[in-house]
Amino acid sequence: MKYFTVFFFTLLSAIGLSQETTSTIPQRVSGYIYNDNSKEPIPNVNVINTNKVRGAMSDAKGYFEIDVQVNDTLHFSILGFQSLRIRVTNDWVKNKVTRIQLTEKAIALEEVVIAPFHLTGYLEVDSKLIPTKENYRYSISGLTQGYEAGEYSPNAFGKVLGSIFNPADMLYNFFGKNGRELKKLKEMRKDDTVRNLLESKYDRETVAVLLGISKDEIPQILERCSYSEAFIQEANDLQIMDAISACYEQYKVLKRN
C-alpha cells in the first residue's frame, strides 16, 4: 500500500509537470479573416499578440498564422474596419484554425476649415506673419539620449525630474504600474512585422493596446517626458513607442541613482 501511494503521487506530479510544461510551450494557431457583411476575405490585416509582442499579417485569402499560448490576446486591425481583440482558447489551440469576422466602420466626414495666411509677397513682412515653433533637445549627463522640448526653457530638466519622482504625478504612476508592459517594448524591436506596422500608423491605437492604456493618455505621457507638441502630433506610432521607451529607460536610470 505504501509503495502504491508513493507511485500514485509520483504519477500525479509527473502529469502536473507535463501539463505545466505543455501550457508554456508556444503553439502556432491560424485563421481566416472575413468581412462580416460581404463574407469576402480581408488581406493585409495586422494581427498582434499583445502578450508576446509578435505580429503577423493576413494574405490575399485572409489567412494568417501566429505563435501563441493559451489566454494570450490577439489584436486585429486594418484601416476601414473596427479593431477586434480575441483571447486564445484551448479549443483554438487544439483545432489550430478558426474563422474571424471584422465589421466595416461607418466613417462620417467632418467639415474642415482652412485658414490661409494672407501673405504680402515681401519676405521681411511674411516671415513675421507665419508662426514658427522650434523644437529643442537637451541631454542629461550620463545618458545616451536627450529629451526633446517644445520650448527652450531652463526649467525643462526640472520638469522631467519633477514628474518622474513625484508620487502624485501621472508619469510616476504610469512607469511604476506599467513596468511589465514597458518591458515588452524591447521584445517589440525583435519583430519586424510589428515595427513595420507601427511605422505606417498614426492613430495611436496599437500603441495604446500594447501599453494597456487609453489613447488620450499618450500625449500626456509624452508631454511630461518633455517631447514637443509638434512631435506628439506628427510622429508615427513607431516613433511614439520608441519615445516612450526611451523615457522609461531614462526613468529607470534616474530611479536607480
Side-chain angles (χ1 to χ4, degrees):
M1 183 66 181
K2 180 175 69 175
Y3 294 107
F4 174 76
T5 303
V6 173
F7 173 76
F8 179 73
F9 281 108
T10 302
L11 183 62
L12 283 180
S13 300
I15 293 173
L17 181 61
S18 175
Q19 290 177 341
E20 183 178 351
T21 303
T22 302
S23 65
T24 57
I25 296 175
Q27 306 285 330
R28 176 152 286 233
V29 297
S30 59
Y32 289 90
I33 306 173
Y34 296 94
N35 183 322
D36 71 343
N37 183 35
S38 67
K39 309 306 178 186
E40 293 292 324
I42 309 175
N44 303 320
V45 176
N46 299 294
V47 185
I48 294 182
N49 183 331
T50 61
N51 297 81
K52 306 296 184 296
V53 197
R54 292 290 184 269
M57 184 176 289
S58 62
D59 62 16
K61 297 180 179 180
Y63 179 78
F64 72 93
E65 292 183 349
I66 192 168
D67 290 334
V68 300
Q69 290 178 354
V70 174
N71 293 326
D72 281 355
T73 299
L74 301 186
H75 180 74
F76 299 82
S77 65
I78 186 173
L79 188 65
F81 288 82
Q82 295 179 14
S83 298
L84 182 67
R85 272 186 270 185
I86 297 178
R87 179 155 299 197
V88 177
T89 63
N90 281 301
D91 288 340
W92 190 357
V93 171
K94 181 179 178 180
N95 297 325
K96 299 297 182 183
V97 182
T98 192
R99 182 187 177 99
I100 294 165
Q101 299 186 44
L102 297 183
T103 304
E104 289 186 77
K105 283 182 179 179
I107 303 175
L109 298 178
E110 298 180 358
E111 181 181 2
V112 178
V113 178
I114 300 176
F117 297 110
H118 299 287
L119 304 181
T120 63
Y122 293 97
L123 182 60
E124 276 189 38
V125 178
D126 292 344
S127 63
K128 296 177 182 178
L129 292 176
I130 301 176
T132 59
K133 185 173 183 179
E134 295 186 48
N135 298 323
Y136 298 87
R137 292 190 64 83
Y138 55 93
S139 60
I140 300 174
S141 179
L143 300 181
T144 56
Q145 289 181 302
Y147 288 105
E148 176 178 330
E151 57 182 15
Y152 185 76
S153 169
N155 298 322
F157 176 74
K159 175 185 175 184
V160 175
L161 287 183
S163 292
I164 286 178
F165 294 112
N166 180 5
D169 192 272
M170 174 194 177
L171 194 61
Y172 179 98
N173 288 296
F174 171 69
F175 284 153
K177 294 178 181 178
N178 296 72
R180 185 176 178 182
E181 285 75 15
L182 288 159
K183 288 176 182 176
K184 292 192 299 186
L185 300 187
K186 289 186 177 180
E187 292 299 314
M188 181 202 71
R189 294 190 179 96
K190 302 176 184 178
D191 194 293
D192 290 336
T193 303
V194 177
R195 292 187 66 84
N196 292 339
L197 163 63
L198 293 176
E199 194 172 16
S200 64
K201 295 189 70 175
Y202 293 81
D203 60 11
R204 313 304 187 232
E205 179 186 342
T206 307
V207 176
V209 169
L210 291 175
L211 293 178
I213 58 178
S214 70
K215 291 197 291 186
D216 294 337
E217 291 177 275
I218 293 173
Q220 299 175 45
I221 292 167
L222 291 169
E223 181 185 353
R224 282 166 170 76
C225 286
S226 266
Y227 280 90
S228 67
E229 183 179 348
F231 174 83
I232 294 171
Q233 292 179 354
E234 298 171 8
N236 61 42
D237 284 0
L238 179 59
Q239 292 170 320
I240 294 293
M241 186 72 89
D242 283 343
I244 294 176
S245 178
C247 192
Y248 176 63
E249 292 301 319
Q250 293 170 4
Y251 156 80
K252 289 196 298 182
V253 172
L254 295 170
K255 188 76 173 176
R256 189 164 54 245
N257 294 336

